[in-house]
Amino acid sequence: MKKTPFATKEKLEEIAAKYPTPFHIYNEKGIRENAQKVKDAFSWNKGFREYFAVKATPNPFLMDILHEYGCGADCSSITELMLSDAVGLKGHEIMFSSNDTPDVEFKKAAELGAIINLDDITHIDACLRALGGSLPETMCCRYNPGGVYTLSNGIMDNPGDAKYGMTHDQILEAYKRLKDLGVRHFGLHAFLVSNTVTNDYYPTLSKTLFDLAVEIKEKVGISLDFINLSGGVGIDYKPEDTPNDITIIGEKVHEVYDEVLVPAGLGDVALYTEMGRFMTGPYGALVTRVLHEKKTYKDYIGVDACAANLMRPAMYGAYHHITVMGKEDEACDHTYDVTGSLCENNDKFAIDRKLPKIEIGDLLFIHDTGAHGFSMGYNYNGRLWSSEILLHPDGTFDMIRRAEEPKDYFATFDCFPIWKKLEKEWQ
């Protein structure tokens, strides 16, 4: 089985002539169409907002596109807060969901008017300390019900073993304390699994959170203003996977909403999501050129990208489909390990992958890197981050992040005498 690239070989060669490989490329048309589908799927809920998970693809150009469709930003660090502010997101368009949070980050979130989502009951005191003894009128709490969810692909499917969120008893106590401290508007959040390829995850999670919302109303005496279903809605990395249907997901959540919340007098609760992978994942790719072929105990194809450009396969064996551009219709009758140049044996984009005959100079299109692709990059072995390219619907393209240069890598050495020598080297 195969996947179809969203750009032709000719277009990628045109781009590579201006912006050398490797580079991440994003399909603007696909991102826009998908953002509209998400908006439509939850249009029945008057308060709905998608908070795009900035960590997935922290690029202001893409965040700006998503903002056109009403998307806010889910942030997990002070730099993501700063980026969201720079893009023009304001106040409650920003959700701050972090853990093990420094005081300065609570302070920055409050300064921007972002919704602060507390990961632990002890963070109430931490937030009070950071904010000088008073809390914002709106606060959110993160719930961890424990147990095991069996709807994911194994990236994270055991809430009881996860570091995130509060227990059932802790979250009830947290809302009581927040109420006593003057908080007037409340939200509930949970993130239990990652990359589910099923239309049943959000409805299942909704039932868990909606039941808890009713209990909170009965036992604490507060009505939640919003419930954040967070992320976890995955994509079909493998050609044989059946992709999620966000329209069906929205309809199923609607059914649970009407079944649980409406009879309890909570029919005005706004629903939020904070998807990253689903919003941009399928609409990005890593484009890399073949440099070497090595034959020892196996056949290796060496490319000019490495795990520093796409960590997921090396980090947890994630599958990314590969298309050899120009050979889409040829038989996959060769077996290769596709590797990068890092001094680590797990620097492989594919292991024992059936592909057409590959030749030096071929372009490889590594699919579904639009989320947690570029953003997880790093500089091990002194490898530099690639550029990011946006392919517009009319076939034109723009660089939306330049490739890192040696001067960027060495910039943080400016406090050392060696800086002057290094500066001469790259000039």
Side-chain angles (χ1 to χ4, degrees):
M1 301 180 72
K2 64 180 182 179
K3 284 174 168 269
T4 302
F6 55 74
T8 64
K9 178 179 185 293
E10 291 72 25
K11 177 58 66 175
L12 295 178
E13 289 288 10
E14 179 187 352
I15 296 170
K18 186 172 184 180
Y19 304 114
T21 56
F23 55 78
H24 283 269
I25 184 169
Y26 305 100
N27 179 11
E28 181 182 349
K29 181 175 183 291
I31 291 172
R32 288 184 177 277
E33 290 175 349
N34 189 56
Q36 185 63 52
K37 286 180 182 178
V38 171
K39 185 176 181 179
D40 291 344
F42 289 91
S43 60
W44 55 268
N45 182 264
K46 64 181 181 181
F48 173 75
R49 187 189 299 278
E50 155 63 19
Y51 285 86
F52 174 63
V54 178
K55 60 180 173 289
T57 321
N59 189 293
F61 290 88
L62 303 184
M63 293 170 66
D64 218 22
I65 290 171
L66 293 172
H67 192 208
E68 292 181 34
Y69 296 86
C71 297
D74 170 64
C75 301
S76 57
S77 69
I78 193 167
T79 45
E80 290 182 354
L81 287 168
M82 293 166 67
L83 177 59
S84 299
D85 179 48
V87 168
L89 298 173
K90 301 298 180 184
H92 285 189
E93 291 183 318
I94 304 173
M95 179 81 65
F96 181 57
S97 300
S98 70
N99 62 93
D100 195 21
T101 308
D103 285 5
V104 67
E105 300 197 349
F106 282 133
K107 187 175 181 180
K108 183 64 176 180
E111 175 189 316
L112 295 178
I115 298 173
I116 297 176
N117 182 25
L118 298 174
D119 180 68
D120 185 61
I121 191 168
T122 64
H123 289 186
I124 296 175
D125 289 331
C127 206
L128 279 168
R129 180 180 65 245
L131 303 185
S134 63
L135 297 175
E137 286 194 354
T138 299
M139 296 288 287
C140 185
C141 292
R142 187 169 186 167
Y143 178 50
N144 184 332
V148 175
Y149 268 61
T150 58
L151 297 171
S152 79
N153 289 341
I155 295 177
M156 191 180 83
D157 57 5
N158 185 355
D161 194 42
K163 66 176 182 176
Y164 309 108
M166 306 181 206
T167 67
H168 174 270
D169 291 346
Q170 286 174 339
I171 208 162
L172 291 178
E173 179 61 29
Y175 284 120
K176 290 176 184 176
R177 282 209 63 202
L178 291 173
K179 179 183 177 183
D180 291 342
L181 288 167
V183 176
R184 293 294 173 258
H185 302 284
F186 303 88
L188 173 64
H189 171 285
F191 178 65
L192 305 184
V193 303
S194 182
N195 194 40
T196 59
V197 188
T198 168
N199 294 328
D200 293 326
Y201 170 56
Y202 263 1
T204 301
L205 174 62
S206 295
K207 183 66 164 62
T208 299
L209 297 185
F210 295 172
D211 284 342
L212 179 58
V214 174
E215 184 181 3
I216 291 168
K217 181 182 179 183
E218 294 172 349
K219 293 184 177 179
V220 185
I222 63 173
S223 295
L224 297 178
D225 289 80
F226 65 86
I227 294 175
N228 189 335
L229 302 179
S230 69
V233 178
I235 63 175
D236 51 326
Y237 284 104
K238 296 181 179 180
E240 63 269 23
D241 289 341
T242 301
N244 284 313
D245 188 323
I246 198 65
T247 301
I248 293 175
I249 291 172
E251 291 170 352
K252 288 188 173 186
V253 172
H254 194 177
E255 291 174 4
V256 181
Y257 189 97
D258 287 347
E259 173 192 334
V260 179
L261 292 183
V262 173
L266 294 170
D268 291 329
V269 174
L271 293 187
Y272 299 157
T273 58
E274 52 178 51
M275 296 179 285
R277 193 188 315 270
F278 185 80
M279 298 303 293
T280 57
Y283 313 109
L286 175 60
V287 179
T288 181
R289 196 175 296 278
V290 175
L291 300 180
H292 300 283
E293 181 177 8
K294 177 178 180 177
K295 294 180 178 291
T296 52
Y297 303 104
K298 302 180 76 172
D299 287 355
Y300 297 95
I301 294 296
V303 298
D304 59 6
C306 63
N309 305 110
L310 177 62
M311 184 196 290
R312 297 185 71 253
M315 186 177 186
Y316 37 67
Y319 179 94
H320 283 267
H321 201 67
I322 296 175
T323 296
V324 184
M325 298 307 297
K327 301 180 180 180
E328 293 88 343
D329 297 323
E330 295 186 13
C332 295
D333 52 6
H334 287 66
T335 303
Y336 298 110
D337 281 14
V338 180
T339 74
S341 60
L342 296 186
C343 300
E344 297 291 340
N345 197 47
N346 67 350
D347 182 20
K348 297 178 179 181
F349 297 112
I351 298 173
D352 296 329
R353 186 73 60 86
K354 289 289 188 180
L355 293 166
K357 169 64 177 173
I358 295 177
E359 297 170 298
I360 292 173
D362 281 345
L363 282 180
L364 303 187
F365 186 97
I366 303 179
H367 293 256
D368 302 317
T369 71
H372 312 291
F374 179 94
S375 64
M376 293 176 72
Y378 55 103
N379 286 131
Y380 183 57
N381 279 182
R383 295 299 172 186
L384 304 178
W385 288 28
S386 66
S387 61
E388 291 183 291
I389 310 298
L390 182 61
L391 178 64
H392 301 299
D394 63 0
T396 60
F397 55 89
D398 286 299
M399 179 174 64
I400 57 174
R401 190 195 301 261
R402 68 168 173 81
E404 197 174 31
E405 301 174 19
K407 67 179 180 182
D408 302 309
Y409 179 79
F410 292 127
T412 50
F413 294 144
D414 59 358
C415 54
F416 291 93
I418 196 174
W419 168 258
K420 291 299 180 183
K421 175 175 170 50
L422 293 170
E423 192 174 26
K424 292 177 182 178
E425 290 291 331
W426 73 65
Q427 288 179 344

PDB file of all heavy atoms in Angstrom, residues 92 114-116 131 134-140 178-179 181-187 225-226:
ATOM      1  N   HIS A  92      -7.829  34.849  26.606  1.00  0.00           N
ATOM      2  CA  HIS A  92      -8.289  33.465  26.680  1.00  0.00           C
ATOM      3  C   HIS A  92      -8.165  32.721  25.356  1.00  0.00           C
ATOM      4  O   HIS A  92      -8.589  31.558  25.272  1.00  0.00           O
ATOM      5  CB  HIS A  92      -9.726  33.422  27.190  1.00  0.00           C
ATOM      6  CG  HIS A  92      -9.831  33.691  28.663  1.00  0.00           C
ATOM      7  ND1 HIS A  92     -11.003  33.516  29.371  1.00  0.00           N
ATOM      8  CD2 HIS A  92      -8.909  34.100  29.574  1.00  0.00           C
ATOM      9  CE1 HIS A  92     -10.802  33.822  30.650  1.00  0.00           C
ATOM     10  NE2 HIS A  92      -9.537  34.187  30.788  1.00  0.00           N
ATOM     11  N   ALA A 114      -3.786  34.573  29.808  1.00  0.00           N
ATOM     12  CA  ALA A 114      -4.033  33.208  29.359  1.00  0.00           C
ATOM     13  C   ALA A 114      -4.776  32.419  30.434  1.00  0.00           C
ATOM     14  O   ALA A 114      -4.719  32.752  31.627  1.00  0.00           O
ATOM     15  CB  ALA A 114      -2.707  32.514  29.041  1.00  0.00           C
ATOM     16  N   ILE A 115      -5.467  31.375  30.015  1.00  0.00           N
ATOM     17  CA  ILE A 115      -6.093  30.457  30.967  1.00  0.00           C
ATOM     18  C   ILE A 115      -5.007  29.538  31.513  1.00  0.00           C
ATOM     19  O   ILE A 115      -4.329  28.853  30.747  1.00  0.00           O
ATOM     20  CB  ILE A 115      -7.195  29.622  30.301  1.00  0.00           C
ATOM     21  CG1 ILE A 115      -8.313  30.521  29.776  1.00  0.00           C
ATOM     22  CG2 ILE A 115      -7.756  28.598  31.291  1.00  0.00           C
ATOM     23  CD1 ILE A 115      -9.352  29.792  28.955  1.00  0.00           C
ATOM     24  N   ILE A 116      -4.836  29.519  32.808  1.00  0.00           N
ATOM     25  CA  ILE A 116      -3.828  28.666  33.437  1.00  0.00           C
ATOM     26  C   ILE A 116      -4.471  27.343  33.815  1.00  0.00           C
ATOM     27  O   ILE A 116      -5.475  27.299  34.522  1.00  0.00           O
ATOM     28  CB  ILE A 116      -3.221  29.349  34.673  1.00  0.00           C
ATOM     29  CG1 ILE A 116      -2.479  30.632  34.266  1.00  0.00           C
ATOM     30  CG2 ILE A 116      -2.274  28.394  35.406  1.00  0.00           C
ATOM     31  CD1 ILE A 116      -1.934  31.433  35.444  1.00  0.00           C
ATOM     32  N   LEU A 131       2.066  34.786  41.665  1.00  0.00           N
ATOM     33  CA  LEU A 131       1.220  35.916  41.273  1.00  0.00           C
ATOM     34  C   LEU A 131       0.959  36.889  42.414  1.00  0.00           C
ATOM     35  O   LEU A 131       0.062  37.736  42.336  1.00  0.00           O
ATOM     36  CB  LEU A 131      -0.110  35.391  40.717  1.00  0.00           C
ATOM     37  CG  LEU A 131      -0.001  34.418  39.532  1.00  0.00           C
ATOM     38  CD1 LEU A 131      -1.379  34.062  39.005  1.00  0.00           C
ATOM     39  CD2 LEU A 131       0.844  35.024  38.409  1.00  0.00           C
ATOM     40  N   SER A 134      -2.759  36.386  44.744  1.00  0.00           N
ATOM     41  CA  SER A 134      -4.120  36.328  44.195  1.00  0.00           C
ATOM     42  C   SER A 134      -4.110  35.565  42.878  1.00  0.00           C
ATOM     43  O   SER A 134      -3.097  35.519  42.176  1.00  0.00           O
ATOM     44  CB  SER A 134      -4.685  37.733  43.983  1.00  0.00           C
ATOM     45  OG  SER A 134      -3.910  38.442  43.026  1.00  0.00           O
ATOM     46  N   LEU A 135      -5.262  34.989  42.560  1.00  0.00           N
ATOM     47  CA  LEU A 135      -5.376  34.175  41.350  1.00  0.00           C
ATOM     48  C   LEU A 135      -6.298  34.843  40.340  1.00  0.00           C
ATOM     49  O   LEU A 135      -7.172  35.635  40.708  1.00  0.00           O
ATOM     50  CB  LEU A 135      -5.941  32.794  41.712  1.00  0.00           C
ATOM     51  CG  LEU A 135      -5.093  31.920  42.639  1.00  0.00           C
ATOM     52  CD1 LEU A 135      -5.861  30.640  42.983  1.00  0.00           C
ATOM     53  CD2 LEU A 135      -3.757  31.585  42.001  1.00  0.00           C
ATOM     54  N   PRO A 136      -6.147  34.505  39.059  1.00  0.00           N
ATOM     55  CA  PRO A 136      -7.084  35.000  38.048  1.00  0.00           C
ATOM     56  C   PRO A 136      -8.489  34.493  38.334  1.00  0.00           C
ATOM     57  O   PRO A 136      -8.678  33.500  39.032  1.00  0.00           O
ATOM     58  CB  PRO A 136      -6.542  34.415  36.736  1.00  0.00           C
ATOM     59  CG  PRO A 136      -5.129  34.049  37.015  1.00  0.00           C
ATOM     60  CD  PRO A 136      -5.074  33.676  38.466  1.00  0.00           C
ATOM     61  N   GLU A 137      -9.506  35.150  37.768  1.00  0.00           N
ATOM     62  CA  GLU A 137     -10.886  34.735  37.994  1.00  0.00           C
ATOM     63  C   GLU A 137     -11.210  33.419  37.299  1.00  0.00           C
ATOM     64  O   GLU A 137     -12.162  32.735  37.679  1.00  0.00           O
ATOM     65  CB  GLU A 137     -11.855  35.825  37.504  1.00  0.00           C
ATOM     66  CG  GLU A 137     -11.924  37.034  38.408  1.00  0.00           C
ATOM     67  CD  GLU A 137     -13.119  37.913  38.083  1.00  0.00           C
ATOM     68  OE1 GLU A 137     -13.816  37.630  37.095  1.00  0.00           O
ATOM     69  OE2 GLU A 137     -13.360  38.876  38.840  1.00  0.00           O
ATOM     70  N   THR A 138     -10.434  33.064  36.280  1.00  0.00           N
ATOM     71  CA  THR A 138     -10.649  31.816  35.543  1.00  0.00           C
ATOM     72  C   THR A 138      -9.451  30.903  35.735  1.00  0.00           C
ATOM     73  O   THR A 138      -8.306  31.309  35.503  1.00  0.00           O
ATOM     74  CB  THR A 138     -10.849  32.078  34.040  1.00  0.00           C
ATOM     75  OG1 THR A 138     -12.005  32.907  33.862  1.00  0.00           O
ATOM     76  CG2 THR A 138     -11.042  30.775  33.277  1.00  0.00           C
ATOM     77  N   MET A 139      -9.689  29.670  36.159  1.00  0.00           N
ATOM     78  CA  MET A 139      -8.631  28.684  36.320  1.00  0.00           C
ATOM     79  C   MET A 139      -9.140  27.327  35.836  1.00  0.00           C
ATOM     80  O   MET A 139     -10.343  27.044  35.847  1.00  0.00           O
ATOM     81  CB  MET A 139      -8.198  28.567  37.788  1.00  0.00           C
ATOM     82  CG  MET A 139      -7.580  29.821  38.376  1.00  0.00           C
ATOM     83  SD  MET A 139      -5.915  30.165  37.723  1.00  0.00           S
ATOM     84  CE  MET A 139      -4.952  28.902  38.550  1.00  0.00           C
ATOM     85  N   CYS A 140      -8.198  26.478  35.451  1.00  0.00           N
ATOM     86  CA  CYS A 140      -8.524  25.139  34.970  1.00  0.00           C
ATOM     87  C   CYS A 140      -7.700  24.116  35.747  1.00  0.00           C
ATOM     88  O   CYS A 140      -6.599  24.430  36.224  1.00  0.00           O
ATOM     89  CB  CYS A 140      -8.218  25.044  33.471  1.00  0.00           C
ATOM     90  SG  CYS A 140      -8.692  23.493  32.677  1.00  0.00           S
ATOM     91  N   LEU A 178      -9.886  26.579  45.093  1.00  0.00           N
ATOM     92  CA  LEU A 178      -9.934  27.674  44.109  1.00  0.00           C
ATOM     93  C   LEU A 178     -11.173  28.533  44.330  1.00  0.00           C
ATOM     94  O   LEU A 178     -11.107  29.767  44.242  1.00  0.00           O
ATOM     95  CB  LEU A 178      -9.917  27.102  42.695  1.00  0.00           C
ATOM     96  CG  LEU A 178      -8.610  26.439  42.249  1.00  0.00           C
ATOM     97  CD1 LEU A 178      -8.779  25.768  40.891  1.00  0.00           C
ATOM     98  CD2 LEU A 178      -7.470  27.451  42.193  1.00  0.00           C
ATOM     99  N   LYS A 179     -12.280  27.892  44.628  1.00  0.00           N
ATOM    100  CA  LYS A 179     -13.523  28.629  44.896  1.00  0.00           C
ATOM    101  C   LYS A 179     -13.343  29.529  46.115  1.00  0.00           C
ATOM    102  O   LYS A 179     -13.732  30.712  46.103  1.00  0.00           O
ATOM    103  CB  LYS A 179     -14.655  27.636  45.116  1.00  0.00           C
ATOM    104  CG  LYS A 179     -16.005  28.269  45.437  1.00  0.00           C
ATOM    105  CD  LYS A 179     -17.042  27.187  45.701  1.00  0.00           C
ATOM    106  CE  LYS A 179     -18.382  27.781  46.103  1.00  0.00           C
ATOM    107  NZ  LYS A 179     -19.386  26.736  46.427  1.00  0.00           N
ATOM    108  N   LEU A 181     -10.636  30.750  47.192  1.00  0.00           N
ATOM    109  CA  LEU A 181      -9.629  31.772  46.901  1.00  0.00           C
ATOM    110  C   LEU A 181     -10.131  32.834  45.930  1.00  0.00           C
ATOM    111  O   LEU A 181      -9.381  33.713  45.519  1.00  0.00           O
ATOM    112  CB  LEU A 181      -8.362  31.115  46.345  1.00  0.00           C
ATOM    113  CG  LEU A 181      -7.527  30.318  47.351  1.00  0.00           C
ATOM    114  CD1 LEU A 181      -6.491  29.454  46.640  1.00  0.00           C
ATOM    115  CD2 LEU A 181      -6.844  31.277  48.334  1.00  0.00           C
ATOM    116  N   GLY A 182     -11.391  32.766  45.555  1.00  0.00           N
ATOM    117  CA  GLY A 182     -11.970  33.822  44.743  1.00  0.00           C
ATOM    118  C   GLY A 182     -12.076  33.543  43.263  1.00  0.00           C
ATOM    119  O   GLY A 182     -12.514  34.421  42.499  1.00  0.00           O
ATOM    120  N   VAL A 183     -11.678  32.365  42.836  1.00  0.00           N
ATOM    121  CA  VAL A 183     -11.843  32.008  41.422  1.00  0.00           C
ATOM    122  C   VAL A 183     -13.335  31.859  41.137  1.00  0.00           C
ATOM    123  O   VAL A 183     -14.077  31.263  41.927  1.00  0.00           O
ATOM    124  CB  VAL A 183     -11.082  30.706  41.093  1.00  0.00           C
ATOM    125  CG1 VAL A 183     -11.339  30.281  39.650  1.00  0.00           C
ATOM    126  CG2 VAL A 183      -9.583  30.918  41.331  1.00  0.00           C
ATOM    127  N   ARG A 184     -13.770  32.380  39.987  1.00  0.00           N
ATOM    128  CA  ARG A 184     -15.203  32.389  39.679  1.00  0.00           C
ATOM    129  C   ARG A 184     -15.570  31.590  38.434  1.00  0.00           C
ATOM    130  O   ARG A 184     -16.737  31.247  38.231  1.00  0.00           O
ATOM    131  CB  ARG A 184     -15.673  33.846  39.508  1.00  0.00           C
ATOM    132  CG  ARG A 184     -15.605  34.652  40.810  1.00  0.00           C
ATOM    133  CD  ARG A 184     -16.608  34.104  41.817  1.00  0.00           C
ATOM    134  NE  ARG A 184     -16.463  34.755  43.148  1.00  0.00           N
ATOM    135  CZ  ARG A 184     -15.855  34.209  44.176  1.00  0.00           C
ATOM    136  NH1 ARG A 184     -15.302  33.006  44.051  1.00  0.00           N
ATOM    137  NH2 ARG A 184     -15.777  34.838  45.321  1.00  0.00           N
ATOM    138  N   HIS A 185     -14.597  31.296  37.604  1.00  0.00           N
ATOM    139  CA  HIS A 185     -14.860  30.543  36.374  1.00  0.00           C
ATOM    140  C   HIS A 185     -13.882  29.376  36.308  1.00  0.00           C
ATOM    141  O   HIS A 185     -12.677  29.552  36.499  1.00  0.00           O
ATOM    142  CB  HIS A 185     -14.724  31.446  35.148  1.00  0.00           C
ATOM    143  CG  HIS A 185     -15.639  32.633  35.184  1.00  0.00           C
ATOM    144  ND1 HIS A 185     -16.984  32.536  34.920  1.00  0.00           N
ATOM    145  CD2 HIS A 185     -15.392  33.939  35.481  1.00  0.00           C
ATOM    146  CE1 HIS A 185     -17.534  33.739  35.028  1.00  0.00           C
ATOM    147  NE2 HIS A 185     -16.586  34.610  35.377  1.00  0.00           N
ATOM    148  N   PHE A 186     -14.436  28.193  35.987  1.00  0.00           N
ATOM    149  CA  PHE A 186     -13.651  26.977  36.143  1.00  0.00           C
ATOM    150  C   PHE A 186     -13.669  26.129  34.868  1.00  0.00           C
ATOM    151  O   PHE A 186     -14.689  26.054  34.165  1.00  0.00           O
ATOM    152  CB  PHE A 186     -14.209  26.141  37.298  1.00  0.00           C
ATOM    153  CG  PHE A 186     -14.257  26.863  38.607  1.00  0.00           C
ATOM    154  CD1 PHE A 186     -15.365  27.627  38.953  1.00  0.00           C
ATOM    155  CD2 PHE A 186     -13.193  26.796  39.494  1.00  0.00           C
ATOM    156  CE1 PHE A 186     -15.430  28.302  40.160  1.00  0.00           C
ATOM    157  CE2 PHE A 186     -13.243  27.461  40.707  1.00  0.00           C
ATOM    158  CZ  PHE A 186     -14.354  28.220  41.048  1.00  0.00           C
ATOM    159  N   GLY A 187     -12.536  25.477  34.635  1.00  0.00           N
ATOM    160  CA  GLY A 187     -12.440  24.544  33.522  1.00  0.00           C
ATOM    161  C   GLY A 187     -11.874  23.219  33.978  1.00  0.00           C
ATOM    162  O   GLY A 187     -11.204  23.125  35.025  1.00  0.00           O
ATOM    163  N   ASP A 225     -17.339  26.145  33.421  1.00  0.00           N
ATOM    164  CA  ASP A 225     -17.567  26.993  32.248  1.00  0.00           C
ATOM    165  C   ASP A 225     -17.130  26.289  30.964  1.00  0.00           C
ATOM    166  O   ASP A 225     -17.717  26.510  29.911  1.00  0.00           O
ATOM    167  CB  ASP A 225     -16.800  28.306  32.391  1.00  0.00           C
ATOM    168  CG  ASP A 225     -17.409  29.195  33.450  1.00  0.00           C
ATOM    169  OD1 ASP A 225     -17.154  28.959  34.649  1.00  0.00           O
ATOM    170  OD2 ASP A 225     -18.152  30.117  33.090  1.00  0.00           O
ATOM    171  N   PHE A 226     -16.068  25.463  31.078  1.00  0.00           N
ATOM    172  CA  PHE A 226     -15.576  24.765  29.885  1.00  0.00           C
ATOM    173  C   PHE A 226     -14.940  23.436  30.267  1.00  0.00           C
ATOM    174  O   PHE A 226     -14.488  23.239  31.400  1.00  0.00           O
ATOM    175  CB  PHE A 226     -14.586  25.629  29.099  1.00  0.00           C
ATOM    176  CG  PHE A 226     -13.300  25.944  29.827  1.00  0.00           C
ATOM    177  CD1 PHE A 226     -12.205  25.079  29.786  1.00  0.00           C
ATOM    178  CD2 PHE A 226     -13.180  27.125  30.552  1.00  0.00           C
ATOM    179  CE1 PHE A 226     -11.033  25.375  30.456  1.00  0.00           C
ATOM    180  CE2 PHE A 226     -12.004  27.423  31.231  1.00  0.00           C
ATOM    181  CZ  PHE A 226     -10.932  26.551  31.177  1.00  0.00           C
TER     182      PHE A 226
END
